[in-house]
């Protein structure tokens, strides 16, 4: 992989490389500099940069050290959250002008959707137009911190009993999240 990446960057001579995820960030920083890529941008999309949230031990320490050690090789950073930007700046001492926030764009569910299909979808999910609906889509992994969202939903339901939380995804935490939902009586 490394040899191929070096060859690719030397051949294409890109002016900018943008990477996502820990391993790609490390490789883009090191190999990008070795191959003289002028601009290297790392996209960091959650608060668990460097290691997985809750991860401890030698592996986590090594990831964190490698992440910090190679930080100066990046030209800048992009994130999708002001919270992540603030954490990057506070914990990694990155200057404010070195981290840009580009919020994720969303298209409202009803924009361009057949109203009949929308109504059928809502009925199939037990949703009325008046309900507060919280949708989370992604892998069911420790890094995404679904348990906190489920706990928060308990507080939301206490204030608005018709509120709904929909979680779409698969992953290693599915069973424990389903157990948490049952234990908090949030199944409906």
């Amino acid at each position: 992989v490394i040899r191929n990446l070096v060859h690719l960057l030397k051949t294409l001579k890109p002016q900018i490389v943008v990477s996502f995820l820990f391993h790609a960030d490390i490789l883009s920083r090191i190999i990008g500099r070795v191959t003289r890529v002028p601009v290297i941008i790392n996209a960091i999309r959650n608060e668990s940069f460097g290691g997985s949230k809750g991860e401890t031990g030698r592996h986590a320490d090594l990831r964190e050290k490698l992440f910090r050690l190679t930080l100066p090789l990046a030209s800048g950073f992009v994130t999708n959250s002001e919270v992540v930007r603030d954490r990057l700046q506070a914990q990694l001492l990155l200057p404010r002008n070195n981290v840009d926030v580009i919020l994720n764009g969303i298209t409202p569910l009803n924009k361009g959707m057949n109203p009949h299909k929308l109504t059928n979808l809502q009925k199939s999910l037990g949703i009325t137009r008046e309900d507060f609906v919280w949708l989370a889509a992604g892998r069911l992994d420790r890094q995404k911190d679904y348990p906190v969202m489920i706990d928060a939903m308990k507080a939301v339901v206490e204030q608005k009993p018709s509120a709904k939380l929909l979680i779409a995804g698969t992953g290693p935490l599915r069973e424990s999240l389903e157990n948490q939902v049952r234990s908090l009586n949030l199944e409906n």
Side-chain angles (χ1 to χ4, degrees):
V1 170
I2 293 172
R3 189 177 301 151
N4 290 341
L5 183 56
V6 168
H7 176 73
L8 185 68
L9 293 179
K10 282 183 174 180
T11 302
L12 295 176
K13 296 182 171 88
Q15 294 300 301
I16 185 169
V17 169
V18 180
S19 65
F20 292 79
L21 302 175
F22 175 79
H23 295 95
D25 290 344
I26 301 302
L27 284 175
S28 72
R29 292 173 193 167
I30 296 170
I31 296 172
R33 288 299 170 219
V34 167
T35 58
R36 295 192 164 101
V37 173
V39 178
I40 300 168
I41 303 295
N42 295 153
I44 300 175
R45 305 190 52 84
N46 63 57
E47 293 180 70
S48 299
F49 48 83
S52 295
K53 193 167 191 171
E55 187 179 273
T56 58
R58 242 177 84 215
H59 183 69
D61 291 342
L62 179 61
R63 284 175 62 106
E64 183 74 20
K65 286 177 185 171
L66 189 56
F67 188 85
R68 288 177 182 273
L69 183 67
T70 59
L71 274 174
L73 300 175
S75 307
F77 302 87
V78 174
T79 186
N80 60 342
S81 159
E82 291 175 5
V83 170
V84 175
R85 179 205 56 212
D86 294 346
R87 185 160 177 240
L88 279 166
Q89 292 168 336
Q91 292 191 353
L92 302 176
L93 305 175
L94 296 177
R96 189 169 190 83
N97 65 352
N98 207 22
V99 183
D100 290 308
V101 176
I102 302 174
L103 300 174
N104 288 334
I106 61 166
T107 301
L109 183 60
N110 61 355
K111 183 178 179 184
M113 185 175 199
N114 178 315
H116 182 68
K117 284 185 179 182
L118 178 59
T119 300
N120 287 341
L121 176 62
Q122 289 171 324
K123 281 182 185 176
S124 73
L125 295 172
I127 297 169
T128 68
R129 288 202 173 274
E130 293 77 34
D131 288 341
F132 169 81
V133 180
W134 189 353
L135 172 65
R139 69 183 187 279
L140 306 180
D141 196 307
R142 169 188 261 160
Q143 185 181 39
K144 300 297 184 181
D145 214 2
Y146 285 101
V148 170
M149 179 178 55
I150 293 169
D151 286 341
M153 190 62 186
K154 178 69 174 177
V156 171
V157 168
E158 289 171 1
Q159 298 297 313
K160 187 165 177 61
S162 66
K164 309 259 188 299
L165 170 60
L166 306 176
I167 301 175
T170 61
L173 294 185
R174 182 177 178 145
E175 187 176 331
S176 67
L177 295 173
E178 288 173 345
N179 290 337
Q180 181 184 5
V181 167
R182 275 191 292 281
S183 74
L184 294 173
N185 297 314
L186 292 173
E187 292 170 295
N188 295 328

